[in-house]
Structure formats: C-alpha cells, structure tokens
Amino acid sequence: MKKKILVVEDNLILCDILERWLLKAGYEVMTAADEPSARGKIKKHETALVLTDVRLPEGDGISLLEWSVRQKQFIPFVVMTEYASIADAVRAVKLGAKDYLPKPVYEEQLLELLRGLLKPPVAVTRNKKLLERCSEASRETERIARRAALSDCAVMILGPNGSGKESVARTIHRCGRRKDGPFVAVNCGCVPKELAASEFFGHVKGAFTGADKDSEGYFGAARGGTLFLDEVGNMPLGMQALLLRVLQEKVYAPVGSRKEQEADVRIVSATNEDLERAIREGRFREDLYHRLAEFEVRQPSLVECPEDILPLADFFRRQYSEEMRLETDGFTEGAKISMLAYTWPGNVRELGNRVRRAVLLAESPLLSPKDLGLDASVCDTGDDRRTRLSDENDEKRRIVKALEDYSRNLSRVAEALGISRPTLYKKMDKYGLK
C-alpha cells in the first residue's frame, strides 16, 4: 500500500514540483494551500507524513503541527521555509517535527529524508551486498563483530554518524545462528514517543483510536532474527523503561492485550552518542546501557581508514551506475587524490551521497572532482595529500591544535577531528597528550 503524503504549500508552482517528485518516487500525494484545508485533509485521510511550509496565507505550518498533536494525530512533520530561521527550526523540532528543510528544496535531499522517515522494517535478503572495506581498522572491527556473532549477547556498536554501523550490525546477523531469520532495523530517533509501545510491541485491534487492525510491532517482525536499534541514545526515557523490562523478562504484551509473547530476538544497537555522559545527565538509563552493551564494537570514522576510501567509492559507483542504468568507468586521478585529501565529516554516508550525485551528473565515463563536488586544487599543485591522512606528526599537530581551540573540551575536540571520544583518548595516550 502506498504511503500518503500531505503537501501544504501556497506556492502553486513549488507545490506542483513537489507533487511530481513524490508521485515519481511511488508515494500517494494530497495537497493543501493553507492550514484550514490541511486540517480537513488530515481529518478525512490516513496521512503518513505532512510536508509543510512554515509561512501560509491562513495560519502556518507550526500551528498546524501543534493542532495535530492536540488532536492526537501523531503524524511525522517535515517543515520547509525559505527564511532559514533557526528560531522556527528549534520551535518546530521541540514540538515534534521530524526534520527541517530550508528552501530551495532539492529532490534527492527530500526523497532521502522521506525514505528514512517512512521506511518500514524490512527483512534483509541473505544475498544483500555489504560495504567493501579493506583497511586494518575496518578488518579488526569485522573480526570483533564476527566473534560477537557467535553468541546471542546484546551488542552495542559505537561510532560517528554515517560511519556504517548498520553494516556492522548486518555482519553480526549474517554470521550468527539467527542468520536465516529476519533483520529489522529501527531508527529510535524517528519513533514518536506517544506511539513507541505500539511500534515496538504491536497492538490489538481497538486498543486505541485508529487501531483498526492488529499490528505485530518491531519485536514481532524480528521474531527469530535480529532487531537493530539504531540511534538508541535518542530513545525516550519512558520507552527505555519498557525495553529494559522486556530484556530482563524476555516477554512482552502488545498494547491492549494481556497475552504475553516471547521476545525471541537478538538485540543489536548503535549510537554516536556519548552514553556515559547521557547517563550522568539523566537522559539514558544506566541499567539499560549495561543490558544493551554486553559486548561493544567500535566502527571507526572514514578519516581513520584512508585505505577504505577508494574501494568504497568504487563500490558505490558500480552500485549506483547499475541502479540508474548509467555507464561509468571509474574516477580520474584528480578525483582519487581529492577524495583521499578530503576529511569526510559525513563519513561513509557522505561518500555514498557524493558518488551517487557524480554518477547522475557526470558528462564523462570517468568521474571528476567537479562531479563529486570536491576541491580540485590539490591536483593542480601536484600536492598528493594521501600521505597527510597517515602522517603521525600531522595527526599529532591537528590534535594539539584542536585541544587548544576547544579548551580541551574532549567531546568538541573529537567532533572537530571526526573521530569518537574513545579514539581520541587512545591517540592522546599515543602522543603523550594527557
């Protein structure tokens, strides 16, 4: 069944463009030009997501979001604005908006966001391709992941955003005794706290308004397999308490039912959060942390694994060329040098996005720095900066400078360097900077 999206936009040209993008992507689309019309559409139709402008001729997108919450219509909202107002963004997110898009809105950016918000849990096919990584650090992570897979212990995967933590989770699933069961991935940051119990444990028909049929929830969908809790650090405290009980008792009951079911799943979770700090600040339960982190695996950032950059880029090139039915032969030498010189703050996810854009826009079978949106000046000067990423003197200098710039605030230092705090500790030990 197609997901139905409501677009609330008074600019008729933009509204038409958004509608065409969404229809082409396989969504069902409704449109409204003002807040009263949008309210009417939400009342009459089952709406999967609302994409709304902030400024409307009657009302605004944020008051529409507030009305939706008061009506207990817990629909994901994405708010657009051409004013790029930080105040509007903060207010919308605090009220429950899932994301915020400044205008002009780009098709690829919008569709990627919607896929993340509306993607249902899907069992992984056994022959699904995994990211190809060959660096020593990545191989060590895979070795540890394979060892963790030998038991049913709960595994916590640590690492920065976009570094490929889900790929590690898939490796654990693929190498474990539950490999023939489903793999269900859940982004904990996208589950509305009001519906969290129903989303995780399912519900019976009539359990609440709108529950017109039984739902098995994520635990039911993952039965006999692996339940991957991504961004677990963003899980609301109330849901943390419910999850802790299920992990302790190994049973759960769907909302509206007294009949308990066995929690026959293997739990793998992931976070880029400093959970020890979150525990100190009261945002994460310490007892749940110990339940989820019986075994820890760290996924390194891409800048820590320069040997992975070119093989991963070629992996993405072949994948996207096949998907888009476009012929590409590889990368120019300049593109390779530019990729090796870049620090990749968005890690593997950013690399994949840039390669996809390059495959789509390239006018030549060989992808260039311009196609990738990277600086080509390192090629023009003959400055092959590949050595920079592995040069220990330069690494030490950058760490020292970051420590000075951020007054030894280690969280900010690690973020600026694109590495995790545990990695920063190790490197400070290595260079005698403690």
Side-chain angles (χ1 to χ4, degrees), residues 4-8 15 19 22-23 28-32 38 41-42 44-51:
K4 189 175 292 184
I5 295 177
L6 172 61
V7 177
V8 189
C15 188
E19 183 177 10
L22 296 171
L23 288 172
E28 189 175 337
V29 183
M30 305 179 292
T31 61
K41 294 284 176 67
I42 291 173
K44 291 180 181 178
H45 303 279
E46 185 176 337
T47 307
L49 181 139
V50 176
L51 177 65

Side-chain angles (χ1 to χ4, degrees), residues 191-202 218 236 238-239 242 255:
V191 179
K193 62 181 180 180
E194 298 84 358
L195 299 178
S198 170
E199 293 287 303
F200 279 91
F201 309 129
Y218 300 134
M239 185 60 218
L242 294 175
V255 175

